[in-house]
Amino acid sequence: MGGQVTSGEPVMTGGAYDQNAPDARAFGARAPYLPLDSRPDVISLSTPPLERDVVLAGPVWARLHVSSTAPDTDFTVKLIDVHPPNADYPHGSAMNLTDGIVRCRFRHSPERPEPLVPGEVHEVEVRAPDTANRFAAGHRIRLDGGAAGLVT
């Protein structure tokens, strides 16, 4: 599906950073700066602690079936390596590996925007840049997703 948007600084930054400890430097973050998986506007799916190392390399995407009350909505996904507590991070850490965003009006084509029909279920695909990571035994694989309705 079309309509993939990937943005740079200051909205989305590349590279690993701890999703458990956002602060005022994170775009759009507001006090009390909850960990990403504790925010009410984020859906977070996580594996149990891995029994063995798992290697992931290549493209990352999520196919979503969504509805919205708005004529346009942005959907985001993040792939995260959740590290268990250790000496450096006593509460563990959640390392962002890659993330992506799609604006729904471009879900079929970037050249022909198409508004959502509010309340109707639509299929959208959110693509993130390729990545490669070894999730070590004891870590968790987590996928976070969020949405923001647009009134445009």
Side-chain angles (χ1 to χ4, degrees):
M1 304 211 141
Q4 305 310 309
V5 177
T6 300
S7 149
E9 303 244 5
V11 177
M12 295 169 60
T13 57
Y17 53 93
D18 187 8
Q19 300 295 295
N20 285 337
D23 58 28
R25 295 171 296 174
F27 182 81
R30 293 181 202 87
Y33 307 113
L34 297 172
L36 193 60
D37 64 341
S38 297
R39 288 178 30 185
D41 60 334
V42 173
I43 294 174
S44 187
L45 306 170
S46 182
T47 67
L50 299 171
E51 294 181 16
R52 60 179 174 76
D53 290 1
V54 173
V55 174
L56 180 143
V60 175
W61 73 92
R63 183 169 293 127
L64 309 174
H65 295 261
V66 303
S67 67
S68 177
T69 57
D72 201 6
T73 301
D74 291 345
F75 285 91
T76 64
V77 296
K78 288 186 177 198
L79 178 64
I80 298 170
D81 184 347
V82 180
H83 295 238
N86 59 52
D88 293 326
Y89 295 92
H91 300 291
S93 65
M95 183 174 70
N96 181 52
L97 300 173
T98 189
D99 50 47
I101 185 169
V102 65
R103 179 151 292 172
C104 284
R105 77 176 123 188
F106 300 116
R107 67 193 177 281
H108 298 297
S109 165
E111 293 84 23
R112 293 183 309 282
E114 182 183 331
L116 294 173
V117 176
E120 188 174 298
V121 176
H122 301 272
E123 182 177 285
V124 297
E125 191 171 274
V126 183
R127 291 191 171 272
D130 293 3
T131 193
N133 187 62
R134 180 180 58 88
F135 295 88
H139 290 212
R140 297 173 186 260
I141 301 171
R142 193 172 92 200
L143 184 66
D144 288 348
L150 307 171
V151 189
T152 61

